Amino acid sequence: MRGDLPDLAARLGRLLGAGLEELTLTTNGARLAGVAARLADAGIRRVNVSLDTLDPARFAAIARRDALTDVLAGIAAARDAGMQVKINMVALAGINDDEFPAMARWCGAHGYDLSIIETMPLGDVAEDRSGRFLAAGDARAQIARTVDLVPSRHRTAGPSRYFDAPQLGIRIGFISPLTDNFCATCNRVRVTAEGRLYLCLGRDDSVDLRAAWEAGGAAGIDAALDTAMRIKPRAHDFDIERPAVARHMSVTGG
């Protein structure tokens, strides 16, 4: 969405080693091919790309545009630029629920890790979410019928439960906010482009960092962050029958 993304990444990348540990990108990949090399030069070493299917017709139905070729080109460009690629695949009953083993094999062939994610009730949408819900465990069982999945010792600050797939040479993570709640270990907050810090994807609790900066500078930010940590919700309120919040995930940030 931002034409100056490579420049923004370069500005952020200058903070690596000076308070910033890592700079990563989550993207739909549609315009990644044209900027991958510049993003890598800026210091981005890992990229997560949303890819729910490898079937062109299904992709067009999900994304509402025929851009699979562009996305695959972007993924390849990121790999060629030296970035570690992870594919994020949302499990959707009746749409891509027969593709999990094939996606895992494709990722293995190209050296991409894979995350399979349960659909989350975020934002008002026209269709019935409950009819599209598929448990991450069902996807895992499908893959396990074709390749070995070994519980991994790999841990991150994120919500994935990881398995190594030694026959494929990759790691597969499963994110299950509805069937296996991970809130007890969540340490994530998200700041929007407007400066509002949301404390949970599934709650409306937030603090306005921009207003805090304008009112009190660095001290105002410190006070706002202290408030944010005190009011961070204990857990989300996901129910597949209704949206947890009206805003879509793209508004909050991945």
Side-chain angles (χ1 to χ4, degrees):
M1 298 293 289
R2 290 187 62 144
D4 65 341
L5 176 62
D7 296 328
L8 174 62
R11 289 163 58 198
L12 292 169
R14 288 196 287 270
L15 299 175
L16 288 166
L20 181 65
E21 292 184 9
E22 187 179 26
L23 184 60
T24 66
L25 176 71
T26 298
T27 173
N28 63 19
R31 298 181 61 190
L32 185 56
V35 296
R38 292 177 63 192
L39 295 177
D41 289 343
I44 293 179
R45 297 292 175 262
R46 293 193 300 119
V47 60
N48 304 315
V49 183
S50 299
L51 182 63
D52 298 329
T53 178
L54 293 169
D55 179 271
R58 291 178 178 181
F59 183 96
I62 294 169
R64 299 181 180 88
R65 56 178 170 162
D66 182 11
L68 179 59
T69 300
D70 294 334
V71 173
L72 295 179
I75 292 170
R79 177 200 60 203
D80 293 344
M83 286 186 269
Q84 179 183 346
V85 176
K86 181 169 69 69
I87 301 300
N88 289 343
M89 179 184 189
V90 176
L92 298 166
I95 296 180
N96 64 1
D97 52 4
D98 59 347
E99 289 192 63
F100 306 121
M103 181 68 83
R105 289 193 299 271
W106 180 81
C107 287
H110 292 87
Y112 309 143
D113 285 340
L114 173 64
S115 284
I116 295 178
I117 308 167
E118 290 177 351
T119 185
M120 288 180 266
L122 299 173
D124 290 316
V125 296
E127 67 178 35
D128 175 17
R129 277 196 180 92
S130 61
R132 296 300 183 199
F133 176 77
L134 182 75
D138 292 343
R140 185 173 70 243
Q142 279 193 37
I143 296 172
R145 286 195 289 268
T146 63
V147 297
D148 294 331
L149 292 180
V150 181
S152 176
R153 295 183 179 180
H154 180 72
R155 297 290 184 273
T156 69
S160 280
R161 270 68 168 183
Y162 292 100
F163 291 78
D164 293 320
Q167 291 143 301
L168 302 178
I170 62 172
R171 182 180 295 124
I172 303 178
F174 297 89
I175 299 178
S176 49
L178 280 89
T179 61
D180 188 9
N181 186 286
F182 47 70
C183 289
T185 58
C186 174
N187 67 354
R188 294 199 170 184
V189 293
R190 295 166 171 85
V191 61
T192 70
E194 293 80 20
R196 182 162 293 278
L197 187 74
Y198 282 101
L199 310 178
C200 174
L201 273 178
R203 298 278 190 174
D204 283 321
D205 308 73
S206 66
V207 296
D208 190 339
L209 296 183
R210 180 175 179 175
W213 173 262
E214 291 174 346
I221 292 288
D222 284 345
L225 292 175
D226 287 343
T227 298
M229 295 307 101
R230 285 196 300 271
I231 66 174
K232 180 171 169 60
R234 184 179 297 274
H236 62 60
D237 186 27
F238 287 163
D239 180 343
I240 198 61
E241 301 290 344
R242 58 176 175 79
V245 291
R247 72 182 186 277
H248 290 270
M249 187 183 293
S250 59
V251 174
T252 312

